[in-house]
Amino acid sequence: MGCKCPHCVASREARMTVDYGPTVEEALREIAGKLEGQYGMSGKAVGLLLLQRDPEIMEELARRESAETVREIHLVIDRVENALDSPVPYYVALRRREAAAELAKRVASADAGGRSPAAWLGRILVHPILGLPALFAVIYFGLYQFVGVFGAGTLVDYLESNIFETIINPWVNQVVDALFPWYWVRELLAHEYGIITLGVRYAVAIIFPIVGTFFLVFSVIEDSGYLPRLALMVDRLFRAVGLNGRAVIPMTLGFGCDTMATMVTRTLETRRERILATLLLALAVPCSAQLGVIMGILSGTPGGLMVWAGTVTLVFLLVGYLTARLLPGRGPSFYMEVPPLRMPSLLNVWRKTYTRMQWYFREVLPLFILGSVFIWVGRITGIFTLLLTGLGQVVSALGLPEETAIAFLFGFFRRDYGAAGLFDLYQNGTLNPLQLVVSSVTLTLFIPCVAQFTMMAKERGWRTTLLITGFIFPFAFAVGWVLFKILGALGFGTT
Amino acid sequence: MMRANIGSLLKRWFLDPLTGHGCHQPYGTDGGGSVIALVGSPNVGKSVIFNRLTGAYVTVSNYPGTTVEVARGTARIGNATVDLVDTPGMYSLSPLTEEERVTRSLLREACPRLVLHVVDAKNVKRMLPLTLQLIEAGWPVVLVVNMMDEARRVGLTVNLDRLRERLGVPVVGTSASTGEGIDELRALLAELLDGKKAAACPMGVA
Amino acid sequence: MSEKSLVELRVGLSGRIVRLETHDETLLRKLTALGLAPGEELTLLQKIPSYIIKVGYTEVALDRETAVSIILSCD
């Protein structure tokens, strides 16, 4: 019975124990002797947590033990608290650290001179000046060129036009039309806004390449140890809007897909940060789909792109700054371990990317299908016609033609649809340069797409989501109106 | 092979020991649960070890009622197929964050067959307190000293034999990112899971 | 021997942690878990754009607000 392996229960005494000193040890023996219920861990561990007044364990104690036992144990806790000169949790942690330090001294030894070969590179990457080129290179090549241009451009175009629009969609339309004589079923499954032809296509042809390329870059950045360095380089920037360096992840992600970014805000530490990030993503971070079309429209208007980018950035900073001051609580503390740099391993990068993609599809694909169903309901029931009339009056106030209302409405279901709608209006000459800038800004701010909206509700709850959208709707139009007035007064686009 | 996978899937869905009815075994009897849990603080390569051990069937789901993600997979260890759980990062058994709360609950509900505590070889000093806590709680702890390659690179040696001797639990050194020590870890787990065989006892029988 | 906070330390110099002045229990615990506990010796590597310190074999990045709460004794 002298076996020391963890399966030989008799040998548990051979395992190392921490000596917490006579006062605590005696109390632990006393508590362990009184406990009747099952806590899923040893009496000693339960006792230690009780001495530290762990809320969850205290609550279980009250449920599982007799009132008499609970009273006695409370007396023991009080006694220990009085006997020690420091708070119990602090005292316990200190004793344990001492034991660990003593052990570590015996098992770990350093020989001088050993130095990581990547150390100098690690230093350069976090240098306030020398680190900047690397930072821009990662953002420009990794995010902009690879995710934005290659993923969101080349790959999306190929999947959309060569696979879906020429092969899959026509085939689905034919099959559905052949199978179902009813108009409403045909519209639900196929054609312009169907579950398969819009929902699935959106998830597979647009989101998949963007998310896939992003996750690939992200896994490389993470696996190489650059991520914490990136976060510490931009910490001060994000501090201005009540976030910290950690927020660099969801925020850059937002330029790929805001829905995914909203989901990733859950990696932020406090609820306050998560709400701030969710709001800013919904309001002022255009996703790649939208970004592409807006750049296309405004590239023809001198200064238009600058006014658009300037206004959106200003709104981002202003709203972030003000909300951070308005929301209760303090800005988050930033502290992060900076691991040594290492060569990313292909296997790790692949597995991380693969697992994340899998997870993404399970979470997001249903939302896009839901989006298609919403559009279908809106069209079939005539709710859309009603909404268009209302929206038409709002856009008129911004000096925009009523047709833009359609672009705004559909922008909710697919961000780039809205922008594409504007593009049509621009091409057939309905919009002048001033109207184009105003409507682009308003559309960018105005609304998250339906998938993002659903994700917000899922991650932040309905109350917060409705509050956020309740703010964004009027605010976006207000900014549009102010911009219309200012630009009009300056004579923008008339020369 | 296929049947084993379906079986474990069914079990995961209907009888999930981690989300369902919890542990009915009185404390101290091993083998109550069939799960191997990986625990450790963030940045110790815990997920890489998880990925190295598990096959392609990895699922990520939220712990009931939280936004905390827990990854599960199955691993072929020796002749057995076992369920592995990659728990959220944890610094201590007194939870301050939702992640730590979830991990503690997982461990308490699962009666884990083995608890692999993954630590960073460069920082054993500040990671050992959790090892001591896990041992204190009575879980069948296996200490996985990871990132041995990085430790070597900074000129640090960790005496695993002495660590094993002092702690009284199995200890294995790995560098998950290069794959170093993973076979050794697998072999150790196989022996531990096959606990009936006294000869297979990694600590030797006195 | 004098006490000063981490922000007063010059880059490249070392000090021994005397205490952590914060009431935020989560922060306190996380810092301790990163190796920043009383009695430990640290070296300040840089202050801009963020504070980076070395404790044992670990490098930790901090913001200024957190650095203020780390009180050191230096000789």
Side-chain angles (χ1 to χ4, degrees):
Chain A
M1 291 305 282
C3 175
K4 292 174 191 160
C5 91
H7 288 280
C8 304
V9 179
S11 72
R12 280 179 193 275
E13 311 86 69
R15 303 168 87 191
M16 183 170 162
T17 50
V18 181
D19 179 8
Y20 291 101
T23 315
V24 173
E25 290 290 341
E26 198 203 313
L28 289 176
R29 271 192 299 277
E30 225 175 300
I31 293 176
K34 292 184 202 299
L35 295 177
E36 298 275 334
Q38 291 299 326
Y39 294 84
M41 52 184 165
S42 73
K44 184 172 184 183
V46 177
L48 275 166
L49 291 170
L50 287 173
L51 288 182
Q52 298 172 67
R53 296 191 183 272
D54 184 281
E56 201 178 305
I57 308 293
M58 289 296 245
E59 187 261 328
E60 276 177 45
L61 179 79
R63 236 171 340 108
R64 293 188 180 165
E65 310 293 338
S66 68
E68 177 62 16
T69 309
V70 173
R71 204 182 53 81
E72 285 169 10
I73 288 179
H74 272 103
L75 286 177
V76 177
I77 299 173
D78 292 343
R79 197 184 68 213
V80 171
E81 278 174 348
N82 289 331
L84 300 177
D85 8 312
S86 47
V88 185
Y90 183 73
Y91 172 85
V92 167
L94 209 65
R95 293 303 283 238
R96 206 181 282 126
R97 277 178 56 82
E98 279 167 11
E102 166 71 18
L103 178 57
K105 209 161 59 189
R106 287 167 190 271
V107 299
S109 52
D111 52 59
R115 199 77 191 100
S116 161
W120 61 272
L121 184 60
R123 289 260 67 78
I124 286 178
L125 290 179
V126 292
H127 190 276
I129 295 153
L130 299 176
L132 293 179
L135 178 69
F136 288 124
V138 167
I139 291 174
Y140 181 77
F141 291 108
L143 292 173
Y144 178 74
Q145 284 292 341
F146 188 67
V147 181
V149 177
F150 175 69
T154 318
L155 283 182
V156 169
D157 282 348
Y158 176 77
L159 287 173
E160 272 241 284
S161 23
N162 294 11
I163 306 287
F164 272 89
E165 273 162 28
T166 53
I167 304 172
I168 299 181
N169 282 7
W171 183 79
V172 169
N173 289 345
Q174 266 183 353
V175 171
V176 168
D177 285 351
L179 286 177
F180 305 100
W182 311 284
Y183 171 77
W184 60 271
V185 178
R186 288 176 177 179
E187 288 291 307
L188 177 64
L189 294 175
H191 300 288
E192 213 177 336
Y193 305 104
I195 288 179
I196 304 169
T197 45
L198 176 69
V200 174
R201 179 185 59 155
Y202 202 73
V204 173
I206 298 181
I207 306 306
F208 175 74
I210 298 174
V211 171
T213 46
F214 179 84
F215 277 156
L216 197 63
V217 170
F218 187 69
S219 302
V220 172
I221 293 179
E222 196 184 23
D223 212 48
S224 62
Y226 186 64
L227 190 60
R229 292 176 168 82
L230 178 64
L232 76 89
M233 288 299 284
V234 298
D235 179 54
R236 287 184 189 219
L237 219 71
F238 280 102
R239 194 155 291 274
V241 291
L243 298 169
N244 72 22
R246 282 169 208 272
V248 73
I249 302 163
M251 286 307 176
T252 36
L253 195 45
F255 288 101
C257 171
D258 279 306
T259 307
M260 179 172 64
T262 304
M263 181 164 62
V264 172
T265 54
R266 62 166 75 151
T267 59
L268 299 176
E269 278 200 349
T270 60
R271 199 178 125 74
R272 183 175 186 275
E273 280 171 273
R274 291 194 284 264
I275 291 174
L276 265 168
T278 306
L279 167 69
L280 290 173
L281 284 170
L283 179 71
V285 178
C287 71
S288 61
Q290 202 180 22
L291 213 52
V293 189
I294 284 183
M295 292 215 186
I297 301 174
L298 293 178
S299 56
T301 311
L305 205 57
M306 295 220 338
V307 173
W308 172 82
T311 314
V312 173
T313 310
L314 195 71
V315 165
F316 179 90
L317 292 174
L318 202 70
V319 171
Y321 179 83
L322 291 178
T323 317
R325 258 131 212 87
L326 220 70
L327 275 182
R330 290 180 306 111
S333 310
F334 177 70
Y335 45 87
M336 231 177 180
E337 187 176 340
V338 187
L341 287 180
R342 58 157 72 231
M343 198 62 201
S345 113
L346 273 180
L347 179 77
N348 290 348
V349 168
W350 162 245
R351 296 204 78 154
K352 274 183 189 169
T353 311
Y354 173 79
T355 319
R356 285 178 176 141
M357 298 286 290
Q358 213 183 14
W359 160 76
Y360 178 75
F361 264 94
R362 216 187 24 246
E363 300 247 347
V364 172
L365 187 61
L367 298 189
F368 284 112
I369 290 173
L370 201 65
S372 299
V373 176
F374 279 152
I375 297 190
W376 175 76
V377 170
R379 281 158 44 94
I380 291 283
T381 55
I383 292 176
F384 275 17
T385 328
L386 220 74
L387 286 174
L388 279 178
T389 323
L391 264 178
Q393 287 172 349
V394 178
V395 294
S396 305
L398 304 187
L400 302 173
E402 281 193 25
E403 290 98 308
T404 45
I406 302 173
F408 283 106
L409 183 63
F410 280 92
F412 178 60
F413 295 99
R414 234 186 96 162
R415 278 187 146 188
D416 58 324
Y417 262 32
L422 291 184
F423 192 66
D424 292 342
L425 293 174
Y426 165 64
Q427 280 195 317
N428 63 33
T430 314
L431 292 176
N432 63 32
L434 170 62
Q435 292 172 325
L436 213 51
V437 172
V438 170
S439 53
S440 295
V441 167
T442 314
L443 190 75
T444 306
L445 300 179
F446 160 62
I447 213 158
C449 73
V450 69
Q452 186 183 355
F453 180 79
T454 320
M455 186 58 81
M456 282 164 70
K458 214 174 142 202
E459 291 291 318
R460 296 290 91 79
W462 280 104
R463 213 177 70 91
T464 311
T465 305
L466 290 177
L467 272 171
I468 289 179
T469 33
F471 162 73
I472 289 179
F473 268 57
F475 181 77
F477 285 106
V479 171
W481 185 78
V482 170
L483 195 64
F484 169 63
K485 289 290 173 201
I486 292 176
L487 291 179
L490 292 174
F492 179 88
T494 49
T495 45
Chain B
M1 193 67 199
M2 198 59 209
R3 187 171 299 165
N5 282 332
I6 292 170
S8 73
L9 271 179
L10 287 176
K11 193 163 95 240
R12 196 156 339 134
W13 285 338
F14 297 111
L15 299 166
D16 196 325
L18 294 186
T19 54
H21 33 73
C23 184
H24 295 309
Q25 297 278 333
Y27 162 76
T29 51
D30 283 329
S34 58
V35 177
I36 296 181
L38 278 108
V39 300
S41 52
N43 296 320
V44 295
K46 190 164 54 70
S47 299
V48 185
I49 293 205
F50 176 80
N51 283 337
R52 290 263 179 195
L53 291 176
T54 53
Y57 301 100
V58 173
T59 58
V60 183
S61 58
N62 286 0
Y63 187 76
T66 67
T67 55
V68 177
E69 281 154 9
V70 180
R72 291 152 211 266
T74 55
R76 194 87 195 140
I77 304 280
N79 296 319
T81 305
V82 289
D83 291 330
L84 247 78
V85 184
D86 188 11
T87 64
M90 149 155 106
Y91 291 106
S92 115
L93 267 193
S94 301
L96 285 177
T97 61
E98 203 179 14
E99 279 81 9
E100 288 183 302
R101 249 186 295 282
V102 164
T103 301
R104 191 173 80 177
S105 302
L106 276 170
L107 289 173
R108 292 174 58 208
E109 286 159 14
C111 305
R113 188 82 164 77
L114 292 172
V115 173
L116 308 191
H117 182 207
V118 185
V119 299
D120 174 357
K122 301 190 302 304
N123 298 298
V124 279
K125 182 174 161 190
R126 67 178 162 91
M127 304 213 163
L128 280 174
L130 181 58
T131 317
L132 294 173
Q133 272 188 297
L134 295 169
I135 291 176
E136 208 166 60
W139 286 308
V141 178
V142 174
L143 184 63
V144 182
V145 184
N146 193 28
M147 300 183 168
M148 292 293 277
D149 56 338
E150 280 183 9
R152 271 196 300 274
R153 243 183 291 150
V154 297
L156 191 71
T157 34
V158 180
N159 188 333
L160 298 177
D161 289 328
R162 195 173 294 166
L163 199 52
R164 182 181 301 128
E165 200 177 290
R166 302 278 302 195
L167 283 172
V169 301
V171 175
V172 64
T174 57
S175 301
S177 54
T178 63
E180 177 194 328
I182 297 294
D183 289 339
E184 217 183 318
L185 173 62
R186 279 180 173 278
L188 173 68
L189 294 182
E191 286 172 15
L192 291 172
L193 291 174
D194 205 5
K196 281 178 221 117
K197 270 195 219 157
C201 179
M203 304 299 297
V205 180
Chain C
M1 288 284 277
S2 63
E3 280 191 8
K4 53 169 107 170
S5 94
L6 181 58
V7 290
E8 295 164 296
L9 192 68
R10 284 232 309 276
V11 171
L13 296 185
S14 305
R16 191 169 294 278
I17 302 175
V18 183
R19 62 181 180 278
L20 303 169
E21 280 186 348
T22 172
H23 296 292
D24 182 345
E25 208 192 317
T26 314
L27 178 64
L28 196 65
R29 174 90 81 64
K30 291 251 169 99
L31 291 179
T32 310
L34 285 173
L36 296 172
E40 297 290 336
E41 183 154 320
L42 63 77
T43 307
L44 180 60
L45 299 180
Q46 68 175 58
K47 288 188 174 183
I48 300 170
S50 293
Y51 281 72
I52 301 184
I53 51 177
K54 196 172 165 76
V55 198
Y57 289 90
T58 312
E59 287 183 17
V60 180
L62 304 167
D63 54 14
R64 195 179 182 282
E65 287 71 12
T66 309
V68 171
S69 64
I70 299 174
I71 309 299
L72 309 161
S73 75
C74 322
D75 15 46

